[in-house]
Amino acid sequence: MNTLRSLFFYAGYFLAMILSGVLLLPVAPLLPLRSRYRLLNLYNHVVIAWFRITCGVRYDFRGYENVPEGACVILANHQCEWETIYLQLIKPSVCTVLKQELLNVPIFGWGLRLLKPIALDRSKPARAMKQVLLQGKARLDEGLSVLIFPEGTRVPPGERRRYNKSGAVIACRAGVPVLPVAHNAGERWPGRHWVKNPGRLTLEIGPPIETEGRTAEAVLADVEAWIEGRLAEISEVSRPAGEPVRESVSG
């Protein structure tokens, strides 16, 4: 049954992508940036709803009252593709830090290019870190929020990786709060397998963590403690004990 549901989901997923490429992408470059976000995010809304309908997933979203009015840095754990789609919707307009290879994906990557992402070459860690810090601060100064996955790559449920502090550094330099987000999306949408799993998908948005007058290390410690604490509560897969594995370079 899960296999059949997943096939049905991907049929609609790719159809939505093709229709977006035909109907939305030609119009998007003609619009101001914030209107462009609203238009292209129609695809995100469709995919999130279609996943729920076809794959037997029950959404449990918590903490929307914590989303601040102004720009912020959103730091979330990274398990699969689902959160890269959904987190664009919690606080438009959002600039995402991502690997530059994604910009070459037909249709999907073309749309990403229009949303002012920070695209990193992860083979050049020092350059990538400098790019995140410079462009992230610039985006925040423009009034855009910045989405960073501090683990640097997808981490399967039940595993843990040390958090990178680039997002906290950007927030401290810009004087904006950090918005922590925890979720168990990888249990429903496995990152390394195409078959989806029914059940509850929980995403929780934490209270903003203030950065003014604080070090990036202190801010990151608060972020990591909150996310890991919530993951221990909402995950169906047990969290690992002890220290996380090596730190990744990109955010």
Side-chain angles (χ1 to χ4, degrees):
M1 180 60 73
N2 289 353
T3 300
L4 183 60
R5 283 176 164 179
S6 300
L7 288 171
F8 197 41
F9 164 73
Y10 273 112
Y13 172 89
F14 288 116
L15 178 61
M17 185 178 296
I18 292 170
L19 290 176
S20 296
V22 173
L23 301 176
L24 305 184
L25 277 181
V27 178
L30 306 176
L31 300 175
L33 183 60
R34 296 185 186 279
S35 297
R36 195 182 303 167
Y37 272 97
R38 288 194 292 270
L39 178 67
L40 294 179
N41 276 348
L42 292 174
Y43 165 80
N44 300 51
H45 284 287
V46 169
V47 171
I48 295 300
W50 187 241
F51 179 56
R52 175 181 59 81
I53 293 168
T54 56
C55 295
V57 174
R58 304 184 306 278
Y59 289 140
D60 181 7
F61 297 148
R62 310 170 186 173
Y64 260 87
E65 69 277 6
N66 292 321
V67 178
E69 290 292 331
C72 64
V73 174
I74 302 168
L75 297 184
N77 63 300
H78 192 14
Q79 295 183 347
C80 63
E81 184 181 353
W82 183 90
E83 63 269 14
T84 66
I85 298 172
Y86 182 75
L87 290 176
Q88 301 291 325
L89 306 177
I90 70 170
K91 188 173 173 49
S93 303
V94 177
C95 161
T96 304
V97 178
L98 45 78
K99 57 185 179 181
Q100 65 180 12
E101 294 89 340
L102 291 176
L103 301 184
N104 298 322
V105 177
I107 302 178
F108 180 77
W110 304 340
L112 282 177
R113 287 179 183 272
L114 297 174
L115 300 179
K116 298 191 72 171
I118 300 174
L120 306 179
D121 181 354
R122 295 197 297 184
S123 68
K124 301 176 181 178
R127 181 178 176 182
M129 176 64 75
K130 183 177 180 180
Q131 183 182 352
V132 170
L133 298 179
L134 291 177
Q135 294 186 14
K137 174 67 163 52
R139 298 292 194 275
L140 290 167
D141 289 343
E142 293 177 43
L144 302 177
S145 292
V146 176
L147 169 62
I148 298 180
F149 298 106
E151 295 157 305
T153 189
R154 295 178 185 179
V155 179
E159 296 182 18
R160 188 173 174 184
R161 183 180 289 264
R162 190 180 303 277
Y163 288 26
N164 181 274
K165 69 177 182 179
S166 58
V169 172
I170 295 168
C172 289
R173 289 185 177 182
V176 301
V178 171
L179 190 67
V181 178
H183 63 84
N184 69 333
E187 296 169 13
R188 309 279 76 83
W189 183 317
R192 295 186 174 92
H193 200 285
W194 66 275
V195 176
K196 311 307 181 205
N197 302 316
R200 184 180 299 277
L201 192 162
T202 302
L203 179 140
E204 186 167 348
I205 303 169
I209 296 172
E210 295 301 326
T211 61
E212 291 192 22
R214 306 186 66 200
T215 66
E217 290 78 8
V219 171
L220 183 64
D222 286 351
V223 171
E224 185 168 4
W226 187 89
I227 291 177
E228 291 299 325
R230 297 315 304 147
L231 286 176
E233 293 292 328
I234 66 177
S235 298
E236 297 174 9
V237 178
S238 61
R239 301 295 298 165
E243 289 295 316
V245 298
R246 67 174 177 84
E247 182 175 8
S248 58
V249 175
S250 63

